[in-house]
Amino acid sequence: MEFLRAVTPVFTGPHHWTRFRCVRLRYCSHAAKARVPSEERGTPVDRFKTRLPSGPSFQDFLKGVSVSKTPAVHAGHSDTPAHLPEHLEMGNSRKVYFETYGCQMNVSDTEIAWSILQRKGYQRTVDLHEADVVLLVTCSIREKAEQTIWNRLQQLTSMKRRRLRSHTPMKIGILGCMAERLKTELLEREKLVDVIAGPDAYRDLPRLLTVADGGHQASNVLLSLEETYADIMPVHLAPQGYSAFVSIMRGCDNMCSYCIVPFTRGRERSRPVSSILEEVQMLSDQGVKEVTLLGQNVNSYRDTSEEQFCGSDLAALSRGFETVYRTKQGGLRFSDLLDRVSRIDPDMRIRFTSPHPKDFPDEVRFLILLTEPAAENTFPRSHSLTTAHCQFLTVRWQIQYI
């Protein structure tokens, strides 16, 4: 009893009751800690790994989303990207002004780009002051060529700022090799450019211009392993009307140490021979008397678009040459293309640029000599030449080449 009397004040006094409540809180905290599951212990990373399998999956995020299935497109490319309605890409008779710099390939690219924009309702103008869109087809072969473009951009930007006060805004675009090489700098340097399109992105020009009309910069510089614009008929605008360029291939695989073409125009790929013959026939019907076949390495042309062209024979090189890459197999070669093109119009002159010495086999030289009037009278037009014929033609070629 004496012991109980000594303990009683602990429970009756308000001060000691507070201490008792604290003891109960500490006991509850200790009990809660004891009930923590084993998987909740450890580092935060360990706890995350244990919870991850029981979390939501990718299918949970797709619930309730209606996906409309569209039929597969058999063509290699689509002129209308799925994320923009077709009516938004129409030119609405806006006027486009082209300035072309550099090689003949850029001249051909200009004709391709204009053909694409013409389909979308754009109009072309030769007066810069009337243009709503100014597109520069550029070159990166030398530093001076790029500096010329930078200076021209400064002039066009000044004109653009003056037009904002009294006319509809003017959009400036860079196409071609410089767009591919300096894409980041062109977009960030003083905001001079609205649209950037690499050599393989001309099909995307209508969409890029639509995005630019919304006040944003738009660019597409993706290189392709297949793009040849074979299904696009260029709009040829030769000054005299008797000469035209026909692009037969794009890109290059030679990787010469001094050349930037493989990095700005991509890997080598050839246009189907059927589309080339169709374009040359159209030019002949229009009265064109001179056609220049274009390619970065034009005489390495190799068409494998049809199964009958895909053989196992290796591509022949000129004597004394070898390549650092694997020898290519099959395909319709450049000599075959020259033969078929030359048969379309006997009165048409066929030229080509630029050839590489390693891809100049004997059959190309023989074909060139056989198409001359003197050779036509001496030998029949055929690839099955005797040894004597070959020796004779080789001597004639060496004399003319020198």
Side-chain angles (χ1 to χ4, degrees):
M1 294 297 293
E2 293 179 359
F3 176 75
L4 291 176
R5 293 192 191 97
V7 176
T8 301
V10 177
F11 297 95
T12 56
H15 176 70
H16 297 291
W17 175 250
T18 305
R19 289 176 58 189
F20 180 75
R21 291 178 62 188
C22 292
V23 172
R24 291 187 62 186
L25 287 175
R26 286 198 298 269
Y27 173 80
C28 294
S29 176
H30 178 72
K33 183 177 180 180
R35 289 194 299 267
V36 175
S38 59
E39 62 269 11
E40 296 294 329
R41 300 175 185 175
T43 63
V45 177
D46 295 334
R47 293 196 298 269
F48 175 77
K49 289 181 179 180
T50 56
R51 293 180 179 180
L52 188 60
S54 61
S57 64
F58 179 69
Q59 298 299 329
D60 295 327
F61 292 96
L62 298 180
K63 290 181 178 179
V65 178
S66 59
V67 180
S68 59
K69 296 183 178 181
T70 58
V73 180
H74 297 284
H77 301 275
S78 174
D79 290 341
T80 307
H83 53 276
L84 272 183
E86 185 177 358
H87 70 277
L88 293 180
E89 296 184 10
M90 299 305 296
N92 298 323
S93 299
R94 285 185 295 173
K95 296 182 178 181
V96 182
Y97 177 84
F98 284 94
E99 284 189 6
T100 306
Y101 299 83
C103 62
Q104 297 94 330
M105 186 62 74
N106 281 356
V107 176
S108 177
D109 283 2
T110 301
E111 296 171 348
I112 292 174
W114 168 229
S115 178
I116 294 173
L117 292 178
Q118 189 181 44
R119 294 181 183 180
K120 293 295 183 178
Y122 287 85
Q123 295 182 358
R124 187 167 181 175
T125 179
V126 295
D127 188 354
L128 176 60
H129 299 281
E130 295 180 354
D132 301 307
V133 179
V134 178
L135 299 178
L136 308 182
V137 185
T138 60
C139 175
S140 284
I141 195 67
R142 293 183 178 89
E143 183 180 359
K144 183 179 179 181
E146 293 184 352
Q147 189 57 46
T148 301
I149 301 300
W150 286 119
N151 296 337
R152 184 56 170 160
L153 284 176
Q154 296 288 349
Q155 300 172 4
L156 293 175
T157 302
S158 300
M159 180 183 300
K160 178 180 178 180
R161 292 169 181 168
R162 291 194 300 268
R163 287 191 55 178
L164 287 176
R165 306 171 185 173
S166 58
H167 203 272
T168 57
M170 182 176 71
K171 301 301 178 182
I172 302 174
I174 295 293
L175 314 183
C177 295
M178 188 173 173
E180 188 70 37
R181 196 182 86 82
L182 299 176
K183 41 190 172 290
T184 303
E185 188 173 355
L186 284 168
L187 288 174
E188 296 179 355
R189 183 171 170 179
E190 302 179 19
K191 306 297 181 182
L192 300 177
V193 180
D194 301 297
V195 172
I196 292 179
D200 293 344
Y202 298 146
R203 295 179 188 269
D204 203 24
L205 271 176
R207 184 189 68 86
L208 296 176
L209 291 173
T210 301
V211 174
D213 288 338
H216 304 283
Q217 289 180 311
S219 67
N220 185 347
V221 291
L222 296 178
L223 291 176
S224 172
L225 294 175
E226 301 176 351
E227 181 62 88
T228 60
Y229 300 107
D231 60 323
I232 295 178
M233 190 62 65
V235 180
H236 297 279
L237 296 174
Q240 292 81 16
Y242 63 81
S243 179
F245 296 109
V246 176
S247 176
I248 67 171
M249 61 185 303
R250 304 183 71 84
C252 184
D253 287 345
N254 287 333
M255 301 298 292
C256 300
S257 59
Y258 56 84
C259 185
I260 198 175
V261 168
F263 303 97
T264 57
R265 289 191 172 268
R267 300 297 299 271
E268 182 180 292
R269 62 269 189 201
S270 299
R271 196 175 152 191
V273 65
S274 57
S275 67
I276 299 174
L277 298 179
E278 180 183 357
E279 183 174 348
V280 174
Q281 181 65 60
M282 182 198 69
L283 294 173
S284 176
D285 297 339
Q286 294 177 358
V288 174
K289 295 302 180 183
E290 181 180 273
V291 167
T292 303
L293 306 180
L294 296 179
Q296 303 299 332
N297 186 16
V298 65
N299 51 343
S300 66
Y301 175 87
R302 191 175 64 95
D303 177 20
T304 57
S305 60
E306 299 183 21
E307 185 177 355
Q308 58 180 338
F309 300 152
C310 299
S312 58
D313 56 323
L314 298 178
L317 299 178
S318 300
R319 291 188 297 270
F321 285 90
E322 59 183 11
T323 61
V324 297
Y325 51 79
R326 182 182 302 174
T327 305
K328 300 175 181 178
Q329 295 182 350
L332 204 63
R333 305 297 298 163
F334 185 58
S335 58
D336 301 311
L337 174 65
L338 281 180
D339 186 26
R340 299 190 183 194
V341 169
S342 63
R343 294 177 184 274
I344 293 179
D345 187 351
D347 297 328
M348 178 182 288
R349 175 180 294 179
I350 307 299
R351 309 179 67 180
F352 55 87
T353 186
S354 53
H356 195 285
K358 72 176 178 60
D359 297 304
F360 230 117
D362 292 340
E363 54 265 25
V364 176
R365 295 184 291 161
F366 298 156
L367 180 64
I368 294 174
L369 295 175
L370 282 173
T371 54
E372 296 181 358
E376 285 283 357
N377 298 330
T378 305
F379 304 116
R381 186 186 178 96
S382 172
H383 291 298
S384 57
L385 302 176
T386 64
T387 304
H389 294 165
C390 293
Q391 291 176 353
F392 172 78
L393 293 174
T394 302
V395 171
R396 286 196 57 194
W397 168 260
Q398 291 174 350
I399 293 175
Q400 292 186 1
Y401 185 76
I402 293 173

